[in-house]
Amino acid sequence: MSSTHERATVTEEAERAGQGAGHGAHAGHGDHAGHGDHAATFRDRFWLTLVLAVPVIVFSEMFQGLLGYTAEFPGSWLVSPVLGTVIFFYGGWPFLAGAISELRSRQPGMMLLIGMAISVGFAASAATFVGWFSVEVWWELALLIAIMLLGHWLEMRAIGQASGALAALAELLPDEAERLTEDSTETVKVADLAVGDVVLVRSGGRVPADGTVVQGAAELDESMVTGESRPVPRGEGDRVVAGTVATDSAVRVRVDAVGEDTALAGIQRLVAEAQGSRSRAQALADRAAALLFYVAVAAAVVTVVTWSLLGQPANAVTLAVTVLIIACPHALGLAIPLVIAISTSLSARGGILVKDRLALERMRNVDVVLFDKTGTLTRGEHRVTGAAVTGAAVNGAALDGDADALLRLAGSAEADSEHPLARAVVAAARERGEVPVASGFRSMTGRGVEAVVNGENVAVGGPGLLRELGLGVPDALTEQVAAWGERGASVLFVIRAGNVVGALELEDEVRPESREAVDALHRRGVKVAMITGDARQVAEAVGADLGIDEVFAEVLPADKDTAVAELQGRGHTVAMVGDGVNDAPALARADIGIAIGAGTDVAVESAGIVLASSDPRAVVAVGRLSRASYRKMLQNLWWAAGYNIAAIPLAAGALAWAGIVLPMAVGAMLMSLSTVVVALNAQLLRRTDLTPETASVT
């Protein structure tokens, strides 16, 4: 090493590597995340070791004998010992340092096995060089270390790519922003923005910070944050999230969150938590690696004793080293962490933010999904769903004829009101034509509003307004209004010049995606339940519309966890899906808590999984990802463990009587091949489609 500092740095990297592969979950950030950023270091060591290994192999007496050629020059007998020693200390240093780290922590694993294998090989070759022994394995040692470095480099590179979600999220933010002043525009660093600043986001530009649109309208590409594949229209008053892209027009945005308070920063924190959380499957792999260490040591001891008793001490050492090489749990150490890293990255890009890996693993066993109604299965805001005009009634979303005129009349009177029902009426009216400008607006708290429209007094309000004015429901509206009431809908009456001329039905709009989500869960054999604080008739209407199996109605937020406990008491594994605020106790009580619709509020502590979008079909995607991840984990574990179970006896010379002996170099290549197979199999997980449009397709 050229300096103490460099040596310390490499040792630190090697220790992280050792902790990662053998018992990665103890390293703090998942299995190989600790050394994922140092792939270049191991790449450089591999190439230099490979260059040095070539002359070692060429001038090896054993290799010359195998291929029947002679390579000699004065002093050529020193080439293999000198370069082999350099390779052992330079190329093998990460494994030696990792082995020491595992010994200190009393957590044996892959690095200790590799360290023992190369140390035994080096000791045997050095002893032969000074005439104390008759086993020369310099070329096998050089090839082994080169292959191990290659496998480790490829492993770290794969994991570094898989865990790149944080870097990808960080890249979503622009470096600079255009801040608007009273009379000009100035370009500033995003880090210099403050709450209250107004920034200009041009067409094709990224929103630099969370905020609210104050001027203009544009369609924003939010796929990198919410997973929504189509651009979403955003206009004045709408919130926008840092990192999203204005696709077709410029908007002005007032900043209301910067730095660590933005949704994107929250997503980054959740991804980091997911990469650092411990997995039950990883714990199993850790125990298997530790067990393999003891099995390998025992097998090596038996091999040495057996072959020594048979009068072949040279074979005893060679085969014992081969056993240690074959037993290295490189593939086993990679089996689970790579799947976890890829699933974490894949889910983050699909708008599924996994805070707790155990939650994702358990999702495949869920047999009941309990949805909160408001804001989850519904949009959490009212819309006009029906209109009835004196003498005629028109129902449904499509309002035509006199119903349109009624709606425009009501919208004109409600135009200056801030009430949520008024905003819904005005929005529906504007969709159906020009709304007349009213005057003399007056709000009557708890009853309704009144204004002058086209010279006539117009009032809009509920049953309380009718009672105050001494009016009754006209016979032409009685049946329709009663039907709306049975559904639990809100009813507003429109009164012109003292006469009731019609009524409007308003309901919390059911998300069109909710039915697809419920149907997809049913196809998977999963029961769907719904919980809400709404009146029973409202809840039953929504439940019947969506095909919900069980409805919990009139439930206070503080009592929602009781419903979860009731389902669990029946023997169900429950996933609770809510907005992460009022549903916090239930989310915490459930086997899997899923917070939905968290595009601008991702710091939901009570949920194990956070969905960046408000699309309930993403719940189906979580189940799909859970099953796919578990499948890959099992496949990798079976391959890694099965490979070792079959290869250790062969490496020990169990079939030597049949002329089948596994050379040490071949053992190293087979071990690295198993690592490559595991890595490639894990990469197939990327083919899992998590987009909302296809999540409900089974």
Side-chain angles (χ1 to χ4, degrees):
M1 311 301 293
S2 59
S3 70
T4 302
H5 174 72
E6 181 183 354
R7 183 182 184 89
T9 302
V10 174
T11 301
E12 183 182 10
E13 293 166 2
E15 288 178 350
R16 281 194 292 265
Q19 292 168 351
H23 44 276
H26 303 288
H29 259 278
D31 312 275
H32 293 69
H35 64 274
D37 294 336
H38 302 285
T41 298
F42 282 85
R43 176 199 62 202
D44 296 342
R45 284 177 179 270
F46 161 70
W47 285 116
L48 181 55
T49 297
L50 182 63
V51 169
L52 296 177
V54 171
V56 173
I57 295 172
V58 170
F59 287 98
S60 168
E61 294 182 4
M62 185 179 295
F63 204 78
Q64 292 181 52
L66 288 173
L67 298 183
Y69 72 92
T70 301
E72 293 184 356
F73 66 86
S76 61
W77 59 280
L78 292 174
V79 172
S80 292
V82 171
L83 295 183
T85 300
V86 173
I87 290 173
F88 172 71
F89 285 105
Y90 174 72
W93 176 251
F95 308 111
L96 296 173
I100 294 172
S101 176
E102 290 185 350
L103 280 174
R104 287 174 177 171
S105 62
R106 297 182 181 179
Q107 294 175 321
M110 184 265 292
M111 300 303 263
L112 184 56
L113 288 174
I114 296 177
M116 286 199 309
I118 63 176
S119 295
V120 170
F122 174 75
S125 297
T128 299
F129 178 72
V130 297
W132 295 350
F133 210 49
S134 58
V135 177
E136 186 267 310
V137 289
W138 289 117
W139 76 274
E140 290 98 330
L141 176 65
L143 188 58
L144 166 62
I145 293 176
I147 291 174
M148 290 295 181
L149 287 171
L150 173 62
H152 211 68
W153 166 37
L154 294 177
E155 174 188 350
M156 288 189 299
R157 187 177 66 173
I159 291 176
Q161 292 171 346
S163 60
L166 288 175
L169 287 170
E171 291 172 0
L172 293 179
L173 287 177
D175 294 326
E176 297 177 331
E178 292 186 68
R179 183 167 59 192
L180 300 176
T181 60
E182 292 183 359
D183 53 2
S184 65
T185 301
E186 60 180 356
T187 300
V188 298
K189 297 290 185 183
V190 170
D192 295 333
L193 290 177
V195 174
D197 286 346
V198 176
V199 296
L200 174 64
V201 181
R202 299 182 185 275
S203 177
R206 291 190 182 275
V207 178
D210 291 4
T212 303
V213 177
V214 294
Q215 183 177 337
E219 291 198 340
L220 266 69
D221 179 0
E222 299 181 348
S223 59
M224 66 291 296
V225 175
T226 66
E228 172 62 51
S229 60
R230 292 171 295 185
V232 179
R234 295 288 185 236
E236 292 183 18
D238 291 335
R239 287 183 54 77
V240 293
V241 180
T244 55
V245 180
T247 62
D248 61 346
S249 182
V251 291
R252 298 189 178 196
V253 176
R254 178 180 291 110
V255 175
D256 57 23
V258 295
E260 292 299 309
D261 295 327
T262 63
L264 193 60
I267 292 173
Q268 288 178 303
R269 287 193 295 272
L270 290 181
V271 174
E273 287 179 22
Q275 291 178 340
S277 64
R278 186 169 174 77
S279 161
R280 181 180 291 115
Q282 179 57 45
L284 175 62
D286 293 342
R287 291 194 297 270
L291 177 62
L292 186 57
F293 164 76
Y294 296 110
V295 170
V297 171
V301 171
V302 171
T303 300
V304 170
V305 172
T306 301
W307 284 97
S308 296
L309 291 176
L310 292 174
Q312 299 184 44
N315 275 344
V317 174
T318 302
L319 293 177
V321 172
T322 304
V323 165
L324 294 174
I325 296 168
I326 290 295
C328 291
H330 213 272
L332 186 62
L334 183 63
I336 302 302
L338 186 54
V339 171
I340 290 174
I342 292 176
S343 64
T344 301
S345 173
L346 186 65
S347 62
R349 296 177 190 278
I352 301 170
L353 309 174
V354 182
K355 290 180 60 182
D356 180 3
R357 289 174 179 170
L358 287 178
L360 180 60
E361 289 181 25
R362 287 194 298 263
M363 189 65 190
R364 64 187 176 82
N365 296 321
V366 165
D367 56 4
V368 173
V369 176
L370 177 62
F371 285 97
D372 176 59
K373 170 186 165 287
T374 306
T376 302
L377 292 176
T378 65
R379 295 189 184 278
E381 55 188 34
H382 284 76
R383 65 184 291 265
V384 177
T385 54
V389 184
T390 304
V394 180
N395 295 304
L399 304 177
D400 49 28
D402 290 339
D404 278 0
L406 176 72
L407 195 55
R408 289 194 296 271
L409 186 67
S412 178
E414 295 272 25
D416 291 338
S417 175
E418 293 297 323
H419 194 280
L421 295 183
R423 289 199 297 267
V425 171
V426 173
R430 288 174 175 170
E431 289 176 359
R432 290 160 177 82
E434 184 177 352
V435 177
V437 177
S439 61
F441 173 81
R442 184 169 71 93
S443 175
M444 296 174 285
T445 305
R447 291 158 296 172
V449 301
E450 65 176 359
V452 177
V453 182
N454 295 329
E456 292 183 301
N457 189 70
V458 176
V460 181
L465 180 61
L466 292 186
R467 288 192 296 269
E468 181 176 307
L469 297 178
L471 300 173
V473 179
D475 293 339
L477 303 179
T478 302
E479 184 177 348
Q480 187 63 66
V481 169
W484 290 343
E486 290 177 1
R487 287 181 53 85
S490 298
V491 179
L492 294 179
F493 296 94
V494 182
I495 304 164
R496 181 174 61 185
N499 297 309
V500 178
V501 295
L504 301 175
E505 177 197 32
L506 294 94
E507 291 184 288
D508 185 3
E509 182 183 8
V510 174
R511 297 182 187 277
E513 306 88 3
S514 296
R515 187 172 290 102
E516 293 181 37
V518 172
D519 291 344
L521 289 169
H522 281 158
R523 287 195 296 271
R524 283 285 180 185
V526 178
K527 182 179 179 180
V528 181
M530 184 183 76
I531 190 167
T532 178
D534 289 349
R536 178 156 295 279
Q537 68 266 30
V538 177
E540 294 288 357
V542 174
D545 186 31
L546 294 176
I548 301 293
D549 299 300
E550 184 172 1
V551 174
F552 296 88
E554 301 176 0
V555 180
L556 296 175
D559 297 330
K560 287 183 178 180
D561 65 325
T562 303
V564 174
E566 179 183 335
L567 290 171
Q568 291 172 328
R570 301 180 201 167
H572 293 299
T573 301
V574 182
M576 168 67 189
V577 186
D579 62 14
V581 181
N582 293 330
D583 304 317
L587 289 169
R589 169 84 66 177
D591 297 281
I592 298 93
I594 302 175
I596 193 170
T600 57
D601 184 19
V602 295
V604 182
E605 298 298 333
S606 54
I609 297 173
V610 179
L611 305 180
S613 74
S614 298
D615 192 334
R617 293 175 300 180
V619 176
V620 184
V622 174
R624 176 181 293 178
L625 179 61
S626 176
R627 290 186 294 272
S629 299
Y630 184 74
R631 199 160 48 240
K632 287 303 174 189
M633 288 179 183
L634 284 185
Q635 291 171 358
N636 281 357
L637 280 176
W638 274 111
W639 171 261
Y643 162 81
N644 283 288
I645 292 171
I648 287 177
L650 186 62
L655 296 181
W657 57 271
I660 301 176
V661 178
L662 192 64
M664 184 169 62
V666 175
M669 286 186 286
L670 290 177
M671 189 281 303
S672 292
L673 178 62
S674 72
T675 300
V676 174
V677 171
V678 165
L680 291 177
N681 186 50
Q683 294 294 334
L684 294 178
L685 185 62
R686 295 185 182 277
R687 299 168 61 183
T688 305
D689 190 354
L690 300 181
T691 55
E693 292 80 0
T694 60
S696 58
V697 179
T698 55

